[in-house]
Structures are given as structure tokens and as C-alpha cells.
Amino acid sequence: MDKMNLAQNNGQIQNQNQLQSIIVCHNGLQSTYFIGNNHFPQIDQTTIPPGDSDTRITSRDVSQKYFPHMEGMILKKSPHQIQGWQQRWAVCSDNRLVYYLPNNQNTPFGIIDFNIMTYSLQRIIDQHGNLIEFVLVPSGSRKNFIFKAKTTLETQKWFNTVFECWKSSEGAKKILQSLNKYPKFWRTDRITYEYFSQVGEVGDILLFRGRGINCQIQRGLTGSEYDHAAILLRFQSGSLYMLEATGYFGVGLCSWKDMIENRWFELYEKIMIRRLDIDRDHQFIRTVQEFVNENMGNKYQLQPTQVLQNNRSVQQINNSTNRQQRTFFCSELIVALYKKLGIFDQKNSIGPYWPGYLSSLNRGFNILKGKLHAEQLIDFSEI
């Protein structure tokens, strides 16, 4: 019996073209488990995934690690000899050196991440012993990245900062070469699933680009790069979940452990994370917990008129007098949470709130505090 017939016989399908889910319980919390568009993994209906011993939301318990930070204009040598040295705006911090085109400091033009790729760091000195250039060479690759500043003093400062970020990285501890299989891997900001599991935090945004025909239609109608969005949660047990609104079951939780074990990530062309840098104090965590408790099981809403025009204000979404009657589209759920947290800048933000609205390419999505980083592609290739 194929997977489609198995799912139909188990009463899991009402509409073959609709995103399907099954519901299980985690200590009283409703949890949504993706199956996906017309793809149905083998499911043992008699097995209920074990719940977390503690489903209270928390932030990671990590000791503060110091990273040197430096940013400014730097010169990068082009691989094309005729172009020579070119100016780039660069930021070195958190085991990464990221550079941008001078006229676009929002979208990275190159990402050198020492945690997911091993690099050798080489010094080039002149006859007087002054550092004039430094070179980063990815392990197992013919590519190299050559940098310098306008003065030898500035070049030395850049080298010192890069060296400090490089020496404490995962790539300095072991040989990492998995990115070599991707052409121009430095153009895409990636994060390995293993590292994502370590650093994923409450309030981070997840953006999905599905493979199904319905996903393509939705992206076409809404003009969005993505067709689904969710918010990341971490329970005190350490388990990662995402809070999402889906058409089949409304607002629910999806376990990332099950996403991996059932390989449901293969239903998507890509899954991106936008990491939120913010002080996750007791009040922040408490507000997120209250929002989850208030909205679990609330209905999903995507009316045909919304596809053409979405003018629902955040007040309409988040300030309903009857909480049980609240409805959400997936990306509206995130906007509503951010407003409750005091993060969302409604005054200077422009809708409609489609999944693509949450992309870093959208200049109309603004926050009042903290920092939302640009998208990183979650790399599942090593699973």
C-alpha cells in the first residue's frame, strides 16, 4: 500500500491538495505535525511521541562568550585580475567575517563562517616585517579570499580581529569541508542543522518555501519568496518547537525532533532562519508563554479576498476582545507576537503580512528593539 492510500485509509485526508497534519498531545499542549503537500510519511498511529518533561518555554542556558567585533571599509582582491582591489563593507564578529557591497549593507555579498567551514589564515608581510595582506583559504578548495586595509596599521587590526574569531571556531577544532559541494558557497549564508539546534532561540523567525503546487500558487498570488512562516520556541527540556498557524488545524506546535526523524524538511525547497538578537529576560519569556497559552488551537484564516488585499491591522489580529475568536494567517501570528513583546514597529511598518513580508528584503518590516539578522539557510545535507 502506498503512502497516499495509507493516509486515506487512516482518515488523514480531506483534501489531497491541502497541507495535512496530525495532532498529538504533549502534556496537554496541542501539537501540529507537518506531513506536507501530497506527501505522507509512514506513520504508526498507535505511537504517540513522548512529551517533554517540562513544556515551559525558556531561553538557552549559555555562558556569555566574548567575541571581538570590528566593522568598516576594507579592500578585497578580486579573483579577476583586471578588477584588482575592490572596496567592501565588512563585519567581523561571532566567528564570522561577512562582507557587503558598499552601496548595500543589508544583503551580504560574501559570508566566511568559521563554524561551518575550516579555513587556513595566512599573513603576507613586506620586507620590513609589516603585515600588508592576509589570506583566508577554505579547506579542500582552490578558492581564496585576500584582504587588506588602506594602511598597514589598519590591516593589522583587521587581522587581529579575524584571528580571534577564527581560533575559537568549530572549524579551527576539526576539519569541516561540507560546503565545497556547493558552487560559490560563500554567497549563501548557511547554518548547519547541528549548529542551528545549539543556537536557535525563542522568538527566532522561520521561513519556508514549499515544493507543492499550492505553495507555488500562493507565492505567485502574494508575490512572496516564501509561503509559510513560524516562530521558534525552546522548552526547558532543551527541545525545539515551532509555533505556527496552518489551514488544517489552526495554531499549534511542531516538534523539530519529529521534523528531522521523519525527514519532513524534504518537503521544502528551503527553510530559513532569521535570528533575533534581544535580551530574553524573565518578562520576555513570560510574555511568549502567555501568548502561546492564549492562542493554542485558535483558527487559521486565509480568505480569498486576503490573497488580493490584506488590510487587517495588528489591532484587529492581536487585540480581539474574545481571544477564542482570534484567527491567524501564519505570518500574522508572528507579527501579533512581536507586537505583544513590544518589538513590532507598527507605526513605521507597511503590510500586508504575508510570509515574504518577514524577509530581510522587505524594508517595510521594522522592529523597535533588538536586531533581526538576515536569513540563514538551514543546511540538512549532513543528516
Side-chain angles (χ1 to χ4, degrees), residues 223-236:
S224 295
E225 171 75 8
Y226 307 101
D227 46 76
H228 186 57
I231 203 81
L232 195 65
L233 302 177
R234 184 182 289 274
F235 289 162
Q236 285 193 343

Side-chain angles (χ1 to χ4, degrees), residues 286-328:
R286 181 177 179 178
T287 301
V288 175
Q289 184 75 68
E290 289 175 351
F291 182 86
V292 173
N293 293 344
E294 290 171 1
N295 292 289
M296 287 296 295
N298 283 355
K299 293 182 179 180
Y300 172 96
Q301 183 184 54
L302 177 59
Q303 301 294 341
T305 54
Q306 282 185 274
V307 176
L308 300 177
Q309 184 176 11
N310 183 354
N311 292 320
R312 290 218 299 168
S313 69
V314 178
Q315 284 92 343
Q316 288 174 310
I317 298 168
N318 207 19
N319 293 340
S320 172
T321 55
N322 187 342
R323 291 173 178 170
Q324 282 70 38
Q325 293 181 2
R326 286 182 186 169
T327 60
F328 293 98

Side-chain angles (χ1 to χ4, degrees), residues 248-264:
Y248 203 65
F249 283 107
V251 178
L253 295 171
C254 176
S255 164
W256 273 79
K257 177 182 177 182
D258 291 278
M259 176 78 83
I260 297 304
E261 290 181 351
N262 292 286
R263 303 190 70 85
W264 293 335

Side-chain angles (χ1 to χ4, degrees), residues 78-89:
S78 171
H80 308 291
Q81 189 171 3
I82 193 172
Q83 294 180 345
W85 292 92
Q86 298 175 309
Q87 281 195 329
R88 296 289 183 259
W89 180 265

Side-chain angles (χ1 to χ4, degrees), residues 26-141:
H26 285 270
N27 291 351
L29 290 180
Q30 186 184 44
S31 300
T32 304
Y33 286 81
F34 266 139
I35 297 177
N37 293 306
N38 301 328
H39 296 270
F40 298 90
Q42 198 82 12
I43 298 171
D44 182 356
Q45 294 283 4
T46 64
T47 302
I48 301 297
D52 286 289
S53 58
D54 191 340
T55 55
R56 286 176 293 175
I57 295 169
T58 187
S59 183
R60 288 185 301 132
D61 182 17
V62 294
S63 57
Q64 293 295 319
K65 183 185 290 187
Y66 168 75
F67 287 105
H69 180 93
M70 186 170 181
E71 60 181 275
M73 206 65 75
I74 197 171
L75 296 171
K76 178 183 176 295
K77 191 171 186 178
S78 171
H80 308 291
Q81 189 171 3
I82 193 172
Q83 294 180 345
W85 292 92
Q86 298 175 309
Q87 281 195 329
R88 296 289 183 259
W89 180 265
V91 179
C92 185
S93 185
D94 298 338
N95 300 128
R96 289 156 54 95
L97 175 62
V98 182
Y99 58 90
Y100 305 78
L101 295 177
N103 59 352
N104 183 4
Q105 296 177 18
N106 294 306
T107 305
F109 194 65
I111 302 98
I112 300 172
D113 192 326
F114 303 125
N115 281 322
I116 62 175
M117 188 73 174
T118 296
Y119 291 82
S120 64
L121 178 58
Q122 304 168 5
R123 302 168 73 249
I124 298 177
I125 59 175
D126 63 15
Q127 58 185 351
H128 303 293
N130 297 315
L131 179 67
I132 56 174
E133 299 170 10
F134 61 91
V135 185
L136 287 162
V137 181
S139 178
S141 172

Side-chain angles (χ1 to χ4, degrees), residues 95 114-116 118 168-176 195:
N95 300 128
F114 303 125
N115 281 322
I116 62 175
T118 296
S168 62
S169 68
E170 293 299 314
K173 301 172 186 175
K174 55 187 177 182
I175 302 299
L176 302 174
Y195 192 60

